[in-house]
Amino acid sequence: HPDRDGPRIDLRPDFVAHDSAGRPRSVWDAKWKRLADGPDPSDVQQVLAYAAVLGAEVAGLVYPGRRFRVRTYTAGPIRLHLAALRVSGPAEKCDRAAARLRRLVFS
């Protein structure tokens, strides 16, 4: 909601995890492109803006990958996770990767 008489700004992150009091704890955006040498700067700016506006301590970008891996950065008061989620291969390995991502999102 605007502070004054202005247009409403809609934020549409892919997922917001809340703490037990209902406050946003982490904000996540899924990307459907591979994480090569690094994320697109506009993707980072977008998810950090979501976190800042919503007051979340954690922001994350999730990319498809061949194995699960996470890189974590500090961006001022916000912890930023770049996660590659295994999306191909044996179902049990994909399930383990999804479980690891769930733990990261809700930690």
Side-chain angles (χ1 to χ4, degrees), residues 60-80:
L61 292 168
V62 181
Y63 296 86
R66 292 191 176 127
R67 63 184 179 92
F68 183 81
R69 69 186 161 126
V70 178
R71 289 184 237 157
T72 302
Y73 302 86
T74 301
I78 299 169
R79 193 170 59 247
L80 172 65

Side-chain angles (χ1 to χ4, degrees), residues 20-95:
S20 59
R23 295 180 300 255
R25 166 130 177 39
S26 65
V27 179
W28 297 83
D29 227 33
K31 301 300 175 185
W32 300 107
K33 54 192 168 194
R34 294 187 57 82
L35 178 60
D37 295 329
D40 184 308
S42 65
D43 293 339
V44 173
Q45 292 168 358
Q46 178 185 30
V47 77
L48 289 175
Y50 289 156
V53 169
L54 294 174
E57 300 171 354
V58 176
L61 292 168
V62 181
Y63 296 86
R66 292 191 176 127
R67 63 184 179 92
F68 183 81
R69 69 186 161 126
V70 178
R71 289 184 237 157
T72 302
Y73 302 86
T74 301
I78 299 169
R79 193 170 59 247
L80 172 65
H81 297 297
L82 302 180
L85 177 64
R86 183 183 190 124
V87 295
S88 63
E92 54 277 354
K93 288 187 177 185
C94 292
D95 289 346

